[in-house]
């Protein structure tokens, strides 16, 4: 069965656990030098990146290669997209190019939903605007399981620019579905005006927000937030919300520090938090690839090929 | 030619008439209204038992997109959609290309709308408040009025400067010209795609806060009171705007306001799936707003229900939500949505329904419409409504070129079945003609 992964919200805990456990099995095999998948027919997967991203695109290329599939990449520059072609027409064109699945990153929230409507085959959302980034959250869940052994019952703080973060929007739903207590921490200007539909508690003070937490997820602060008056200055933000040696003391002593990357060292995170013993950031990078592999396999209905 | 509309429920808010009887249209004019009319010599007779006979509906807020955007709509297609929806007079917004900021454009529009191949409804222009809708220099209101513009409006380029709005209102008082205000603070709304709230937070879409509307409702109402300029505040959508209008009316300000069906039929809670057909301006608000908007329509704080008709070509709408344009067609669904969501629920009486859709908009813009008085209009404008007809709206079969609307597939109860401007301009094809004919 093929199916799309457009968002975490709306998926059952069972489906999400299935993807995560698939990712864990892929990692287990890969770490032992074994083939994570039994051989199968090679397919062609389109990677449509309407927004620049080297890390995510490379991770999906690796994921496809673990599955034994070929990728065709489309970037927004140098293609018909830069000539003013609509998203719908791009998708319709690619459908006839016999792609078996499509991975899409787009600056507009909801673009993968539109893509899925016209593509008809499985679509994996690789990040859409400020909406969701489901495969990042799946990898983060694998990291939490690796480092903490479980997710149910954990207290997890997501800290920073929640308003503009698709990573936050996927993690909130995934962590909630898996039984964690989710906290959102950040200044009011970077928090949605109304969070009543999120299964999460909101804090505007960093130390209160991360107090006793088992994991602290930092979000990337984008520098363009300074220009539109949302933040007065980088320095002021860092002074109040940076995760560092001192502020981390408010969290549980065993707390892990996470960051989806790329990091602004010295802004939302300092070297101690990023590189110290509590950091799980490199593990997130590795798990990101396995989670993307699992998401592709799940979308293509190929989970049966995975090593058990 | 003598047409007889026999034995219907006659609703004429301009004379507070709600009675059973007949209407006679002779040589394009209403000549008799009442329980007993002279039926002799009728060329056509329509049996209207169980139906309403009312003045044709008057729309204060629609776009026929001429000149400049005929891929979206034309005067021909839009006026046919109007006739099918029971409208007999349309006031079109000036956000065309070029904008309706000069007398020649107003004349062009009126000429084209009265051509034989058009739908037969009256089309009046709202002139652009500023040249090119750029918000900088006021248009020449007196020449717009002489050419036939029935009001001026800042649709398409909401006036940000309070000073300029104040001067525009002074000119309108001087010229006895109504002003229609699009209440939107662009510094708050810009880049937004839907109501700022719980759902925009969920979808990661930039929100349009309610204050973007309310701040300018307050400002424009206050300027209206200060200058004495009769001002129609267009498209209120929040309970805060309703409170402002209520308060300024109580203080005696010459303000009135309109509402669109989407703001009493839908809320942001209907928008969880990135469906661009729900993208409206103002954005769909919360279920609480919908409840208070309905109440305010019932109480008469909201004077007018307008169509907000704003069709787009299919390719313009089949894009990611944030890139989709605001608005959708409304001429063929406004009456049905009102009957289904307000009248059937007892929020509006039949007479008040017609008042919101016909008599009030006509009075606010001093149009010769919205009445069944003999000689009250240059040509008889009459709509026959079946208030209980159950039907499903299929946008793909609509007269409008715009096919994307949240009302697609909606079940309605109530519909315009016959529309007259002098003569019959629309008859519902699905209905057995025998029901309406035979004398």
């Amino acid at each position: 069965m093929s199916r799309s992964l457009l968002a975490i919200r709306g998926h059952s805990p069972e489906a999400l656990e299935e993807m995560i456990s698939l990712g864990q099995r892929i990692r287990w095999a890969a770490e032992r030098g074994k083939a994570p998948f039994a051989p199968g027919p090679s397919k062609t997967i389109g990677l449509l990146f309407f927004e620049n991203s080297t890390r995510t695109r490379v991770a999906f290329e690796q994921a496809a290669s673990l599955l034994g599939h070929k990728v065709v990449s489309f970037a927004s520059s140098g293609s018909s997209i830069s000539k003013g072609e609509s998203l719908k027409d791009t998708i319709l064109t690619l459908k006839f190019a016999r792609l078996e699945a499509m991975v899409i990153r787009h600056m507009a929230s909801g673009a993968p939903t539109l893509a899925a409507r016209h593509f008809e085959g499985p679509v994996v959302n690789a990040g859409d605007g400020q909406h969701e980034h489901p495969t990042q959250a799946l990898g983060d869940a694998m990291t939490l399981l690796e480092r903490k052994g479980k997710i149910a019952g954990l207290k997890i703080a997501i800290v920073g620019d929640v308003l503009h973060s698709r990573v936050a929007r996927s993690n909130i739903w995934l962590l909630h579905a898996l039984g964690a207590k989710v906290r959102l921490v950040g200044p009011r200007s970077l928090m949605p005006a109304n969070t009543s539909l999120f299964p999460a508690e909101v804090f505007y003070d960093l130390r209160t927000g991360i107090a006793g937490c088992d994991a602290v997820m930092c979000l990337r602060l984008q520098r363009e937030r300074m220009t539109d008056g949302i933040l007065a200055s980088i320095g002021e933000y860092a002074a109040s919300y940076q995760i560092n040696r001192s502020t981390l003391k408010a969290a549980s002593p065993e707390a892990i520090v996470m960051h989806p990357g790329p990091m602004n060292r010295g802004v939302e995170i300092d070297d101690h938090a990023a590189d110290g013993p509590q950091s799980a950031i490199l593990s997130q990078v590795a798990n990101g690839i396995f989670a993307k592999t699992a998401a592709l396999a799940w979308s293509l209905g190929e989970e049966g090929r995975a090593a058990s | 030619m003598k047409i007889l509309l026999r034995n219907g429920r006659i609703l004429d808010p301009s004379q507070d008439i709600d009675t059973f009887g007949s209407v006679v249209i002779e040589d394009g004019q209403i000549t008799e209204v009442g329980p007993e009319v002279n039926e002799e010599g009728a060329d056509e007779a329509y049996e209207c038992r169980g139906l309403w006979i009312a003045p044709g509906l008057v729309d204060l807020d629609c776009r026929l997109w001429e000149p400049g955007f005929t891929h979206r709509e034309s005067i021909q297609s839009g006026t046919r959609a109007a006739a099918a929806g029971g409208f007999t007079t349309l006031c079109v917004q000036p956000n065309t290309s070029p904008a309706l900021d000069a007398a020649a454009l107003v004349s062009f529009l009126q000429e084209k709308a009265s051509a034989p191949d058009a739908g037969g409804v009256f089309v009046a222009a709202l002139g652009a408040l500023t040249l090119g809708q750029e918000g900088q220099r006021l248009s020449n209101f007196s020449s717009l009025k002489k050419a036939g513009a029935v009001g001026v409006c800042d649709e398409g380029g909401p006036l940000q400067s309070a000073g300029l709005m104040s001067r525009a209102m002074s000119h309108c008082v001087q010229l006895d010209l109504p002003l229609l205000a699009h209440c939107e603070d662009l510094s708050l709304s810009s880049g937004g795609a839907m109501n700022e709230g719980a759902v925009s937070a969920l979808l990661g879409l930039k929100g349009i806060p309610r204050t973007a509307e309310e701040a300018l409702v307050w400002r424009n109402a206050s300027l209206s009171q200060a200058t004495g300029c009769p001002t129609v505040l267009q498209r209120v959508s929040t309970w805060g705007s309703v409170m402002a209008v209520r308060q300024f009316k109580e203080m005696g300000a010459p303000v009135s306001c309109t509402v669109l069906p989407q703001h009493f039929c839908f809320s942001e809670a209907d928008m969880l799936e990135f469906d661009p057909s729900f993208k409206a301006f103002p954005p769909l608000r919360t279920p609480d707003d919908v409840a208070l908007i309905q109440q305010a329509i019932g109480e008469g704080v909201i004077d007018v229900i307008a169509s907000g008709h704003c069709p787009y070509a299919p390719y313009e709408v089949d894009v990611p939500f944030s890139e989709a344009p605001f608005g959708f067609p409304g001429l063929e669904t406004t009456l049905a949505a009102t009957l289904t969501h307000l009248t059937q629920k007892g929020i509006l009486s039949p007479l008040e329904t017609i008042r919101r859709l016909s008599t009030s908009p006509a009075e606010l813009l001093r149009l010769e419409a919205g009445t069944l008085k003999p000689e009250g209009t240059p040509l008889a404008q009459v709509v026959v409504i079946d208030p209980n007809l159950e039907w499903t709206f299929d946008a793909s079969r609509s007269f409008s070129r715009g096919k994307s609307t949240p009302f697609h597939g909606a079940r309605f109860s109530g519909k315009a079945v016959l529309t007259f401007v002098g003569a019959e301009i629309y008859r519902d094809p699905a209905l057995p003609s025998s029901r309406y004919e035979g004398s």
Side-chain angles (χ1 to χ4, degrees):
Chain A
M1 183 181 69
S2 74
R3 46 204 165 177
S4 290
L5 178 60
L6 304 175
I8 297 290
R9 180 173 66 88
H11 280 293
S12 67
E14 293 73 30
L16 298 167
E17 276 162 9
E18 188 190 334
M19 283 183 255
I20 292 165
S21 114
L22 186 56
Q24 289 173 317
R25 275 149 59 206
I26 297 164
R27 184 179 68 202
W28 188 90
E31 281 173 356
R32 282 156 186 79
K34 298 182 180 170
F37 291 95
S42 178
K43 295 178 178 171
T44 307
I45 295 163
L47 303 185
L48 275 80
F49 277 64
F50 293 84
E51 197 182 67
N52 290 331
S53 157
T54 314
R55 302 155 56 101
T56 307
R57 202 184 68 226
V58 169
F60 269 107
E61 282 172 5
Q62 287 177 280
S65 125
L66 284 173
L67 276 158
H69 296 328
K70 291 193 288 285
V71 300
V72 191
S73 277
F74 301 83
S76 48
S77 58
S79 69
S80 52
I81 297 157
S82 58
K83 295 173 188 162
E85 185 175 64
S86 75
L87 177 59
K88 175 189 166 185
D89 286 333
T90 305
I91 304 292
L92 289 178
T93 308
L94 293 175
K95 185 157 78 174
F96 293 115
R98 294 178 179 277
L99 295 180
E100 267 106 348
M102 181 176 279
V103 174
I104 179 169
R105 165 167 289 199
H106 200 282
M107 55 297 254
S109 302
T113 307
L114 176 81
R117 199 153 60 226
H118 293 296
F119 182 63
E120 291 166 5
V123 172
V124 175
N125 179 3
D128 62 326
Q130 297 161 358
H131 175 225
E132 283 219 32
H133 192 349
T135 60
Q136 173 73 40
L138 291 169
D140 291 350
M142 287 174 63
T143 300
L144 280 162
L145 287 169
E146 185 184 325
R147 293 288 289 261
K148 307 301 290 184
K150 59 165 190 174
I151 289 177
L154 294 186
K155 268 198 273 184
I156 300 172
I158 301 174
V159 180
D161 185 359
V162 176
L163 179 61
H164 301 97
S165 175
R166 54 191 173 209
V167 173
R169 279 179 184 76
S170 282
N171 265 313
I172 291 169
W173 294 105
L174 183 54
L175 297 172
H176 170 72
L178 300 179
K181 292 191 185 73
V182 184
R183 297 171 160 205
L184 305 176
V185 186
R188 283 172 196 276
S189 61
L190 293 177
M191 198 62 76
N194 183 333
T195 52
S196 61
L197 293 180
F198 287 123
E201 211 180 338
V202 176
F203 294 86
Y204 301 109
D205 175 73
L206 177 63
R207 283 187 169 80
T208 322
I210 66 172
C213 280
D214 303 290
V216 178
M217 291 183 163
C218 295
L219 300 172
R220 177 179 163 76
L221 184 76
Q222 292 184 331
R223 283 169 193 273
E224 55 262 34
R225 304 294 164 235
M226 303 309 127
T227 55
D228 43 21
I230 290 182
L231 287 177
S233 78
I234 295 263
E236 208 161 281
Y237 176 80
S240 306
Y241 293 97
Q242 189 183 77
I243 301 300
N244 54 37
R245 187 190 296 271
S246 151
T247 54
L248 204 46
K249 287 188 181 130
S252 150
E254 281 82 44
I256 60 167
V257 175
M258 303 172 75
H259 193 296
M263 287 184 277
N264 292 304
R265 286 180 189 256
V267 182
E268 69 264 12
I269 194 165
D270 80 341
D271 287 341
H272 170 83
D275 305 327
Q278 287 173 276
S279 170
I281 294 168
L282 288 177
S283 158
Q284 284 179 277
V285 176
N287 281 321
I289 296 163
F290 302 124
K292 287 170 177 64
T293 314
L296 272 180
W298 181 86
S299 294
L300 288 161
E302 296 188 317
E303 58 273 44
R305 283 211 286 129
S308 48
Chain B
M1 181 74 170
K2 181 170 175 176
I3 302 166
L4 184 63
L5 304 175
R6 187 201 278 141
N7 298 326
R9 180 171 180 178
I10 298 171
L11 297 165
D12 182 3
S14 75
Q15 307 175 77
D16 281 316
I17 291 173
D18 178 355
T19 182
F20 287 88
S22 305
V23 171
V24 178
I25 302 171
E26 204 164 350
D27 297 329
Q29 285 280 344
I30 294 174
T31 49
E32 271 189 279
V33 178
E36 303 286 336
V37 299
N38 178 8
E39 298 193 359
E40 246 169 74
D43 300 286
E44 286 175 21
Y46 299 84
E47 183 57 46
C48 297
R49 209 170 290 278
L51 308 179
W52 299 353
I53 306 168
L57 310 184
V58 177
D59 191 20
L60 295 191
D61 187 0
C62 73
R63 287 147 210 79
L64 303 181
W65 288 131
E66 281 203 59
F69 299 105
T70 46
H71 59 293
R72 296 174 177 169
E73 193 74 290
S74 67
I75 288 170
Q76 196 184 58
S77 60
T79 48
R80 287 181 178 175
F87 287 93
T88 56
T89 293
L90 304 178
C91 300
V92 299
Q93 292 286 5
N95 55 332
T96 48
S97 179
L100 302 180
D101 62 0
L105 288 156
V106 172
S107 309
F108 157 83
L109 185 76
Q110 286 165 343
E111 225 162 87
K112 201 150 179 203
S114 53
D117 63 345
V121 307
F122 286 97
V123 173
L126 300 172
L129 200 65
T130 58
L131 291 175
Q133 298 181 299
E134 284 168 0
Q136 301 298 321
R137 290 171 55 214
L138 296 180
S139 307
N140 192 333
F141 292 179
S142 64
S143 67
L144 284 171
K145 185 179 175 181
K146 271 187 205 132
V150 294
V152 286
C153 182
D154 62 343
E155 178 68 13
L159 211 48
Q160 301 298 289
S161 159
L164 198 56
M165 182 57 98
S166 166
R167 290 186 285 280
M169 287 186 179
S170 300
H171 288 296
C172 283
V173 174
Q174 175 79 31
L175 294 166
D176 195 21
L177 186 65
L179 186 145
L180 295 89
H182 173 124
C183 300
E184 178 185 6
D185 185 318
L186 296 172
S187 72
L188 289 167
S189 65
S190 113
M194 66 174 296
N195 182 48
E196 181 181 87
V199 179
S200 69
L202 211 63
L203 297 179
L205 288 168
K206 187 165 191 293
I208 299 172
R210 52 185 57 242
T211 45
E213 171 180 324
E214 290 166 1
L216 285 208
V217 165
W218 281 97
R219 183 200 79 177
N220 289 334
S222 171
L223 290 172
S224 160
Q225 186 174 40
T227 57
C229 174
T231 303
V232 182
L233 304 163
Q234 293 196 110
R235 279 172 253 146
V236 297
S237 70
T238 73
W239 62 265
S241 294
V242 169
M243 281 182 47
V245 173
R246 189 191 304 269
Q247 188 164 333
F248 274 94
K249 281 185 167 181
E250 278 168 11
M251 296 192 302
V255 292
S256 55
C257 68
T258 70
V259 71
L260 307 185
Q262 47 264 41
H263 296 117
F264 58 78
C265 294
F266 300 115
S267 76
E268 60 175 16
D270 297 306
M271 300 182 66
L272 290 166
E273 302 305 329
F274 290 111
D275 180 352
S277 74
F278 281 88
K279 192 163 171 180
F281 197 91
L284 304 182
R285 305 289 186 183
T286 67
D288 285 347
D289 289 302
V290 172
L292 279 150
I293 290 280
Q294 291 191 349
Q295 188 189 333
I297 297 169
E299 292 168 356
V301 177
I302 294 174
D303 307 80
V304 170
I305 298 167
S307 80
H309 188 72
C310 191
Y312 290 96
Y315 71 85
E316 292 179 288
V317 184
D318 207 356
V319 296
F321 191 93
S322 54
E323 294 164 16
F326 291 98
F328 38 82
L331 285 168
E332 288 162 83
T333 49
T334 296
L335 170 64
T338 304
L339 292 169
T340 307
H341 290 267
L342 300 176
T343 317
Q344 301 277 356
K345 292 181 184 162
I347 294 166
L348 284 178
S349 67
L351 192 65
E352 290 304 303
T353 303
I354 302 303
R355 195 186 302 280
R356 301 292 181 283
L357 286 163
S358 176
T359 306
S360 289
E363 284 171 357
L364 287 171
L365 265 58
R366 294 166 225 141
L367 306 169
E368 290 176 311
T371 179
L372 293 176
K373 279 180 201 155
E375 319 291 327
T377 58
L379 282 175
Q381 297 185 39
V382 181
V383 61
V384 178
I385 295 166
D386 183 339
N388 298 313
L389 180 71
E390 302 281 332
W391 64 293
T392 302
F393 177 65
D394 178 356
S396 66
R397 298 176 59 191
S398 62
F399 288 88
S400 170
R401 291 184 184 169
K403 306 297 180 191
S404 171
T405 154
F407 288 108
H408 173 64
R411 286 289 298 159
F412 288 128
S413 103
K415 191 180 183 304
V417 291
L418 283 164
T419 310
F420 297 87
V421 175
E424 180 186 303
I425 58 167
Y426 174 76
R427 178 199 299 234
D428 190 308
L431 295 165
S433 54
S434 60
R435 185 167 177 196
Y436 302 105
E437 274 176 315
S439 47

